[in-house]
Amino acid sequence: GKQLFSSKNEFRISALKFHPTESNIFICGGFSPEVKSWDIRTSKVLRVYKAAVQQTLDMLFLPEGKEFLTSTDAVSRDSADRTIIAWDFQSAAKISNQIFHERYTCPSLTLHPKESVFVAQTNGNYMALFSVQRPYRINKKKRYEGHKVEGFAVGCEFSPDGTLLVTGSSDGKVFFYNYHTARIIRTLSAHKEACVNAIFHPVLPSLLATCDWAGEVKIWQ
């Protein structure tokens, strides 16, 4: 059967993530200053997380799901305040909005599978590395650069063993970075259009799926 989740102030949803330990709960955000958490058992909103932004670009639960991050469109010439916001999941309180201080939006976020770090894809054509522990410090010694973002919502992901970081690129390529050294290991000329995501198979790490701006999907071995 079909289950509908709706509310009076509907908005176009562009990001949705299930809670890592409570499988009945998910959060969603999009073209709205609000992110909402829902319970699929009741089809009702549990909590509303409000920020002075126009759009949520991506969301990421931190380990155990007590906290989560949202990346937003809030960036200006004088301030990078609210570009990435950390939230307390239970109380809906903002923990921090002073995480990323460079003036680029971050179209996607990804969590390392084994270490206490996450990566933010940035519109500065690089991926930045942060700690998942408060105050979520950026690692200034590591920067994953060489690919292009150029305004596309380019996704990135770690390999299941955490040794590789893969990302799409607006020129249609896929880039593989060594997580520890931040060096490019190899590139694939995957698509003619902008490659907007590259995802590893969760069980078979030799399989990779990529997709492009025109809707083409490819599987690589």
Side-chain angles (χ1 to χ4, degrees):
K2 187 166 71 170
Q3 217 171 336
L4 289 177
F5 300 90
S6 63
S7 61
K8 290 176 184 174
N9 54 338
E10 284 186 18
F11 54 87
R12 198 161 58 136
I13 293 167
S14 58
L16 186 150
K17 293 286 164 71
F18 272 90
H19 194 281
T21 60
E22 299 183 55
S23 58
N24 291 305
I25 294 172
F26 68 88
I27 53 174
C28 64
F31 293 81
S32 165
E34 298 179 347
V35 167
K36 295 179 178 180
S37 60
W38 295 80
D39 190 324
I40 65 174
R41 294 163 294 191
T42 61
S43 302
K44 289 184 178 175
V45 173
L46 293 174
R47 283 172 213 91
V48 178
Y49 309 82
K50 293 184 180 181
V53 300
Q54 290 182 305
Q55 184 185 357
T56 297
L57 306 177
D58 198 13
M59 303 177 300
L60 181 71
F61 274 108
L62 297 181
E64 299 176 15
K66 292 177 182 174
E67 299 168 7
F68 71 93
L69 306 171
T70 57
S71 63
T72 79
D73 64 349
V75 69
S76 66
R77 276 187 202 168
D78 7 343
S79 170
D81 178 35
R82 305 188 308 277
T83 305
I84 298 175
I85 303 172
W87 300 87
D88 182 279
F89 177 70
Q90 290 293 346
S91 69
K94 280 191 203 75
I95 299 168
S96 175
N97 58 5
Q98 300 283 333
I99 297 171
F100 184 50
H101 297 289
E102 299 194 31
R103 290 177 194 132
Y104 300 112
T105 52
C106 300
S108 64
L109 307 167
T110 189
L111 189 66
H112 194 279
K114 295 180 178 176
E115 296 187 18
S116 297
V117 294
F118 72 92
V119 156
Q121 179 81 268
T122 80
N123 267 304
N125 297 326
Y126 67 89
M127 292 178 284
L129 185 68
F130 298 83
S131 169
V132 302
Q133 311 293 339
R134 300 182 195 184
Y136 320 103
R137 288 190 202 286
I138 191 169
N139 185 330
K140 293 182 178 176
K141 294 177 183 174
K142 272 189 197 174
R143 207 157 104 153
Y144 304 85
E145 51 192 347
H147 63 291
K148 296 176 182 175
V149 180
E150 296 180 326
F152 287 94
V154 174
C156 55
E157 190 189 51
F158 285 101
S159 59
D161 66 0
T163 59
L164 300 175
L165 179 58
V166 65
T167 180
S169 182
S170 64
D171 57 11
K173 292 179 181 173
V174 175
F175 284 72
F176 296 86
Y177 291 87
N178 180 309
Y179 159 60
H180 293 289
T181 65
R183 289 180 182 162
I184 296 168
I185 296 173
R186 68 169 300 179
T187 61
L188 291 174
S189 293
H191 298 272
K192 291 176 184 174
E193 301 280 339
C195 179
V196 291
N197 217 344
I199 297 178
F200 286 98
H201 191 284
V203 181
L204 306 169
S206 60
L207 284 184
L208 184 82
T210 64
C211 60
D212 73 5
W213 185 245
E216 183 179 60
V217 175
K218 291 184 179 181
I219 309 293
W220 305 79
Q221 189 152 17

